[in-house]
Amino acid sequence: NLTHHVWFYFFHLDNPLLIDLFKIAFTILSLHLITTFFRLYLTAQNSLMVSLVFIFFPSHDSIPYWYTATCYLLSMAIYLYSYYLAYTNRPVAAFILALLASFMDYGSTPIAVALFILFVLDKQIKKGMILIVPNIIFAIYFVSVSILVAAAPSRVLEKLTLSRWLKQFSLQLATFIDATLGPSMWFKIYYSFFHLSLTSWLIGMMLLVALFVKYRQEIDTYNTHLLISLGVLMLCSFAMFAATGRYPQLAFNLGNRTTFWGSLFLSYVIVLLPGQKLFKVTILGILLLSALGISDHWKSWSAHQQSVIQNIRENQDLRSMAFATKIYVSGNQYSKFGPFSHIEFLSQAWVPQAIFNLTLPRHLILETINKRKSYRDGNLYDAEYQISTIVTEYIYIYDSDRDQLLKVNSDQINGFIDALPEERRHWIMLGEQGFVRWIRGWVVYLMPRLKETLK
């Protein structure tokens, strides 16, 4: 609210370019603050490289390209800078920024704990308290508001037990390896090259040549205390998501922001990898080109989204519907990244609901329709949320792919659903045989609510 939503009060943010300008500003500011933090431990070149690799790490492209999710980046950057201020003996400013960073994002606690540990390892506990106390204040507020008085939704889906938490933590660890070092990351990098535009290829090649010419083999070694602290940050993020039970670590979909906290550890390790100049530049070059390809994918999907929104705005059938008519939306639920369904768009009801509210003259009730729904005995059943909706004779479906409003009789609903495309959001959804089937069974055992999603 303080950093992102406030601008909607001052500006009419219906122009995608204006949103992009805010994202660019937040990213540049974050890059500067994170680089400043790493200057305490690394040379200027390596500090900048760690920051760039971290911000544009392929596993969490939702962070720099999704406006809302840039709050995670900004919170992290401000907290790291507050460490820099405390380190350089400016405690008041450090405390204020740590308080701001704490309240910006529920994921601030792993950062606070990690930076506190870093000061403890350096035997500067008083400075560590400057950073941890603001987050304790935030934690008390968060628990009070979301649990004690229930004034905000709780992040914990189910009753938390030790066995459930351990299962979830195991899933976090395994999926993080997959999303950042394993098959998901290999697929992500591979298919990102197919999205590179000619302009991005040219820019990428020029940057790669410049990197090879300018890159210096500087004598930077791993700082043990910093390495431990970044490891704590990674593990604390696993513990946080294990407690909520909401998200595994993903390389695809907007949920890939979960990999954000742990990738700082990987970025630090990658940039300081020992080896010859050609080896290191090759790794950095692959990450660079992948980031450009992913960026092109986001730009293309953003333009397509604007086209779909314009179709909704101008569709006369939608504009003439009676007040509070329920309409199911099909199509454009995810972008296509190779065989994978990647960036969400009309996949959850609240997105088309917001779009229709903002573009049409009267209020309609929106719901999505996909393969997780089925018609049974007069009810439309949602397997993901386990909700049934009574259907009498027909339902209205807006086919966003064809920009058509359809009146579908109840006996034709399942046929319509069967004709919808498959949405594959992870590589374990690409097959049913052998090892893949075993992996799917293991995932469902650790996170049962994914049973319907993985079908």
Side-chain angles (χ1 to χ4, degrees), residues 3-21:
T3 57
H4 285 61
H5 295 165
V6 65
W7 307 115
F8 288 88
Y9 180 82
F10 297 104
F11 304 103
H12 196 54
L13 296 184
D14 58 353
N15 186 343
L17 178 60
L18 196 54
I19 293 290
D20 286 339
L21 291 176

Side-chain angles (χ1 to χ4, degrees), residues 258-302:
T258 53
T259 69
F260 174 66
W261 291 264
S263 62
L264 186 58
F265 173 86
L266 293 181
S267 301
Y268 178 63
V269 170
I270 288 171
V271 171
L272 268 65
L273 277 174
Q276 296 300 313
K277 178 179 180 178
L278 180 61
F279 168 72
K280 299 185 73 170
V281 170
T282 298
I283 292 177
L284 295 174
I286 290 172
L287 294 176
L288 165 66
L289 292 173
S290 180
L292 289 172
I294 292 169
S295 173
D296 282 337
H297 177 75
W298 275 80
K299 284 183 282 189
S300 174
W301 184 239
S302 178

